[in-house]
Amino acid sequence: ILEDYEKALKSDSVEDRQKFLDIAIVGGGATGVELAGSLAEMRKYILPKEYPEFSYKEVDIYLIQSNDRLLPGMSQKSSAKALTYLQKLEVQVELNSRVTDFDGERIFLSDERTFEVGKVIWAAGICANEVDGLPEDCLGSGRRLIVDVYNRLIGCQDIFVIGDQCIMPSEEKPYGDPQVAQVAIQQGQLLSKNLNNLIAGKPLHPFKYKNKGMLATVGRNKAVADLPGFHFGGFFAWIIWLFVHLFALIGTKNKVFVFLNWTWNYLTYDQSLRLIIKPFKRE
């Protein structure tokens, strides 16, 4: 992105500058929403200081989602709040739109619209890599491996799969559990116990995901939270998001330094990244 800014600096044409500056993010899940919010705040607070030659209004940020709402893994209330927050940050959210192509300068949508963008960031998920030698009928959505309630690969008694690589469909959840870290952690903990039970000849325990809640940050003082029994957004949800991620870090030193960096950035609207470019004169 910063390299594209340098190219835009050397252009006298507004259209050419926008071609380098505009950004499209594909995917309206937690990754896409958080990234769009971060870039929107960078455009508003960092760009005017780092690149006073630009007007931040020249930079358009598109968030393209094939679903009819953002954050499909969260509640309708949180999805609506996230959309409102992004619109206030002047992110152009395109719902019910699927990306069909990108030629390096334009992104093409399924409804035949196109946008000129200099950068496309993919946040819509990926397909899993296939493993040679496994039965073809064990592949589910996104080429994820279908497992039973014990995380055992369908049709293979001695192969266990956990995390994003597997899918455990059911009547309640035809697409399995959400692809988040907590699911993989809980599956790994249960699999450890089940492997010991298997060795000892004891029965296996089925997996059932215990949803401890979901969080997504949209920007400064803006986040949404789905906790068991209630949903909320705003500053309090943002504080919870910060502390949950802070305490997930390993080591006291890391926690302290990250906390100090966050505090400095919050108070100064600053960042540690810098780009040194060669001065030049316009013709």
Side-chain angles (χ1 to χ4, degrees), residues 182-193:
Q182 274 300 319
V183 173
I185 291 171
Q186 293 179 26
Q187 287 178 341
Q189 292 171 342
L190 180 64
L191 180 57
S192 173
K193 297 177 182 177

Side-chain angles (χ1 to χ4, degrees), residues 154 237 277:
I154 295 296
I277 59 177

Side-chain angles (χ1 to χ4, degrees), residues 99-149:
V99 174
T100 58
D101 196 9
F102 175 60
D103 64 2
E105 295 184 355
R106 290 175 299 169
I107 192 168
F108 298 83
L109 304 184
S110 54
D111 55 9
E112 299 184 353
R113 289 183 299 160
T114 63
F115 297 112
E116 288 194 356
V117 294
K119 192 78 68 180
V120 174
I121 303 175
W122 188 266
I126 58 175
C127 290
N129 291 324
E130 293 187 23
V131 180
D132 294 336
L134 296 180
E136 293 184 1
D137 58 356
C138 71
L139 295 179
S141 174
R143 293 206 299 264
R144 297 163 67 192
L145 299 174
I146 303 174
V147 298
D148 60 17
V149 293

Side-chain angles (χ1 to χ4, degrees), residues 37-257:
S38 298
L39 290 175
E41 294 199 327
M42 184 184 78
R43 173 184 62 183
K44 184 176 181 180
Y45 298 114
I46 304 300
L47 188 61
K49 293 194 297 182
E50 298 294 312
Y51 301 94
E53 297 90 345
F54 297 144
S55 167
Y56 80 91
K57 293 185 180 297
E58 290 185 53
V59 183
D60 292 327
I61 299 173
Y62 301 93
L63 179 59
I64 303 169
Q65 167 70 328
S66 61
N67 207 322
D68 60 352
R69 66 185 182 96
L70 300 176
L71 301 173
M74 300 186 70
S75 65
Q76 289 279 0
K77 184 178 180 180
S78 293
S79 297
K81 280 185 176 293
L83 177 60
T84 301
Y85 292 151
L86 288 174
Q87 289 174 338
K88 288 181 179 179
L89 290 171
E90 299 182 12
V91 174
Q92 299 187 41
V93 180
E94 304 291 338
L95 299 176
N96 294 311
S97 299
R98 187 178 296 274
V99 174
T100 58
D101 196 9
F102 175 60
D103 64 2
E105 295 184 355
R106 290 175 299 169
I107 192 168
F108 298 83
L109 304 184
S110 54
D111 55 9
E112 299 184 353
R113 289 183 299 160
T114 63
F115 297 112
E116 288 194 356
V117 294
K119 192 78 68 180
V120 174
I121 303 175
W122 188 266
I126 58 175
C127 290
N129 291 324
E130 293 187 23
V131 180
D132 294 336
L134 296 180
E136 293 184 1
D137 58 356
C138 71
L139 295 179
S141 174
R143 293 206 299 264
R144 297 163 67 192
L145 299 174
I146 303 174
V147 298
D148 60 17
V149 293
Y150 308 109
N151 281 101
R152 188 165 45 196
L153 184 64
I154 295 296
C156 301
Q157 293 296 311
D158 300 323
I159 300 178
F160 294 85
V161 190
I162 63 173
D164 289 354
Q165 187 73 37
C166 77
I167 178 172
M168 189 184 296
S170 64
E171 292 185 3
E172 297 178 355
K173 302 176 181 178
Y175 297 102
D177 293 305
Q179 293 178 269
V180 295
Q182 274 300 319
V183 173
I185 291 171
Q186 293 179 26
Q187 287 178 341
Q189 292 171 342
L190 180 64
L191 180 57
S192 173
K193 297 177 182 177
N194 278 339
L195 289 177
N196 288 327
N197 289 347
L198 195 63
I199 295 171
K202 297 179 181 179
L204 304 181
H205 299 290
F207 175 76
K208 186 174 182 180
Y209 174 49
K210 297 178 182 177
N211 189 355
K212 299 180 180 179
M214 296 186 67
L215 299 164
T217 179
V218 186
R220 184 186 180 91
N221 300 333
K222 300 178 183 69
V224 291
D226 281 352
L227 299 181
F230 58 103
H231 319 280
F232 58 95
F235 178 76
F236 185 55
W238 182 71
I239 290 294
I240 293 177
W241 184 93
L242 289 178
F243 276 93
V244 166
H245 286 75
L246 184 66
F247 283 102
L249 297 176
I250 299 174
T252 303
K253 182 179 179 181
N254 289 334
K255 292 182 175 67
V256 171
F257 276 102

